Amino acid sequence: MTNAPSTSEPIRIVALVFPDVTQLDLTGPVQVLSRLPGAEIHLAWRDAEPVATDAGFRILPTTTFADTPPADVLFVPGGDGVDPLLTDAETLAFVRDRAAGARAVTSVCTGSLLLGAAGLLTGRRATTHWASLPLLERFGAIPTASRVVHDGPVVTGAGVSSGIDFALTLAADLRGEDVAKRIQLAIEYDPQPPFDAGSPAAPDVDHAFVTASREAMLARRGPLVDRAAAALDA
């Protein structure tokens, strides 16, 4: 990424919303990024109707694809709602268009699969939720099992809760570490989980569950990714 702009300059953050989005993928990073000096948050979808999240409540887009301004930061969250978008021409065209002029092209969780389907991860290191991580390779990306991964203008976060780590990292890139640290303090982000079972490598993890979940995810999502990768190649 280039040098951080002056904190007096506006910065347009365009976040994609879509049906069945994992709401914390979206709302965690947006909560952090909305506190950046000069931040303009745009929640974009193809129309302005309320969008149902995976948690059962709805989020109201603030703009449509047609009316979304150019993005300084393009952000794509994840969730099962990503799956039908991997071959959705309108959404892929929107993502490519807003990524073209952005300083940072970003995602959390399976949002990186949508970046991959749009052809934005070829040859780049990227991460996603652990259960889907191997699928990134089918888009020409280099799967990287880290909580936050930088590769040029592309910044990707792993699953769900890593979105806050991702957003604070991005905030430091955009406005400097001092600003990011103040945001961290303001939201009291001081995680002290009751269990050490939050990643496949954690000591308290259920390894049988990890294996079964990964196999089930690759079996379900793999054919969708293959179709999206084939369309991209074509």
Side-chain angles (χ1 to χ4, degrees):
M1 299 183 65
T2 57
N3 293 332
S6 165
T7 56
S8 64
E9 297 176 0
I11 184 163
R12 288 186 298 268
I13 299 162
V14 173
L16 186 68
V17 296
F18 48 84
D20 212 17
V21 63
T22 294
Q23 65 85 18
L24 187 58
D25 284 2
L26 173 69
T27 57
V30 167
Q31 180 64 63
V32 172
L33 298 175
S34 69
R35 293 172 178 254
L36 289 172
E40 299 175 6
I41 303 294
H42 302 273
L43 305 181
W45 181 231
R46 62 185 54 168
D47 57 50
E49 295 301 312
V51 173
T53 72
D54 67 345
F57 60 81
R58 294 175 181 269
I59 291 177
L60 187 66
T62 63
T63 187
T64 65
F65 284 174
D67 293 334
T68 301
D72 296 309
V73 175
L74 174 67
F75 168 54
V76 181
D80 287 345
V82 161
D83 292 352
L85 301 182
L86 296 178
T87 54
D88 182 81
E90 183 181 11
T91 302
L92 292 173
F94 174 79
V95 169
R96 292 188 190 104
D97 181 74
R98 293 309 185 274
R103 294 183 59 244
V105 177
T106 73
S107 67
V108 165
C109 199
T110 52
S112 59
L113 296 178
L114 190 56
L115 295 184
L120 301 173
L121 296 183
T122 304
R124 295 192 182 277
R125 294 180 303 110
T127 194
T128 189
H129 189 280
W130 57 265
S132 294
L133 187 63
L135 295 174
L136 285 173
E137 190 171 14
R138 304 187 194 184
F139 292 121
I142 303 166
T144 306
S146 296
R147 199 147 171 89
V148 182
V149 175
H150 282 80
D151 193 328
V154 176
V155 187
T156 53
V160 194
S161 66
S162 66
I164 296 178
D165 300 63
F166 150 83
L168 289 169
T169 301
L170 184 60
D173 289 341
L174 295 170
R175 294 302 196 214
E177 285 192 5
D178 288 345
V179 169
K181 289 175 181 177
R182 287 195 291 270
I183 294 173
Q184 180 180 2
L185 178 60
I187 65 172
E188 200 170 350
Y189 181 58
D190 183 25
Q192 300 174 42
F195 313 110
D196 195 358
S199 82
D204 296 340
V205 76
D206 181 340
H207 293 287
F209 179 77
V210 169
T211 299
S213 297
R214 184 176 283 132
E215 289 176 351
M217 183 59 68
L218 296 182
R220 178 174 70 81
R221 185 167 278 148
L224 299 172
V225 169
D226 285 341
R227 287 199 294 273
L232 182 62
D233 290 340

